[in-house]
Amino acid sequence: MNPSCNLFIVGPTGAGKTSIGRRLAEHYQLAFVDLDYEIELHCGVPVGTVFELEGEAGFRRRESDMLDLCTQPQGIVLATGAGAVLDPVNRQRLAARGYVLWLQAGIEQQLERLARDTKRPLLAGEDRRAKLAAMREAREPLYRELADLVLPDEHESVHAATQRAIALIDTHWNRTRAA
């Protein structure tokens, strides 16, 4: 959606949605919302525990409910979970309620950034590369369909990626002010 007062960030696990999102929110003087954090806050337990108790389907229901709630306010930067785009209703809400930035990340970059991460349930077990490749195959067409703007992977620092994102956003986002 363009124009919009909201900026929504989508992309694969390890793309930097939260890190870059915080910096973009600060730059644009908008509230920052991290969808996974909001789920944890609402449930009172980590995302991994929700997966453990309710399975992926239960988590996705909670994610959709929280995405609906979190995308209603105006004047926010929202970092989604990597799989939030799997639900067509979520994609519809994101497209209708904000300007969508897709942060791309190659599998090598993801593996590097997630090397010590043990909290992501969909990456548990063996062969992270194969799991990331399968997620990429399923989700990339959805990111592409949804994105108003794409920030290609340059394998750079969060600071450099944020500066590149700002330059792109400033030339493409027809930002309206929150009411």
Side-chain angles (χ1 to χ4, degrees), residues 139-154:
R139 297 171 182 179
E140 197 165 274
L142 304 175
Y143 297 140
R144 183 175 293 109
E145 164 196 321
L146 182 60
D148 292 302
L149 187 62
V150 178
L151 185 70
D153 176 18
E154 300 261 332

Side-chain angles (χ1 to χ4, degrees), residues 23-92:
R23 291 173 182 224
L24 292 174
E26 183 179 325
H27 175 81
Y28 292 109
Q29 298 178 340
L30 298 170
F32 176 71
V33 180
D34 181 274
L35 189 59
D36 284 345
Y37 175 77
E38 293 299 321
I39 294 167
E40 290 180 346
L41 198 61
H42 181 76
C43 293
V45 296
V47 165
T49 304
V50 176
F51 263 84
E52 190 177 308
L53 297 174
E54 299 179 8
E56 185 174 359
F59 171 77
R60 295 292 175 208
R61 280 191 300 278
R62 289 182 180 275
E63 180 181 56
S64 291
D65 291 345
M66 192 56 59
L67 185 133
D68 182 32
L69 188 66
C70 289
T71 57
Q72 290 182 30
Q74 296 189 4
I76 66 165
V77 172
L78 171 74
T80 67
V85 298
L86 294 170
D87 184 326
V89 174
N90 289 350
R91 291 195 305 275
Q92 177 190 15

Side-chain angles (χ1 to χ4, degrees), residues 129-166:
R129 179 182 302 279
K131 290 176 183 180
L132 290 169
M135 284 188 267
R136 177 187 198 99
E137 185 175 328
R139 297 171 182 179
E140 197 165 274
L142 304 175
Y143 297 140
R144 183 175 293 109
E145 164 196 321
L146 182 60
D148 292 302
L149 187 62
V150 178
L151 185 70
D153 176 18
E154 300 261 332
H155 204 91
E156 61 197 339
S157 70
V158 169
H159 175 76
T162 302
Q163 293 308 306
R164 221 167 29 89
I166 290 168

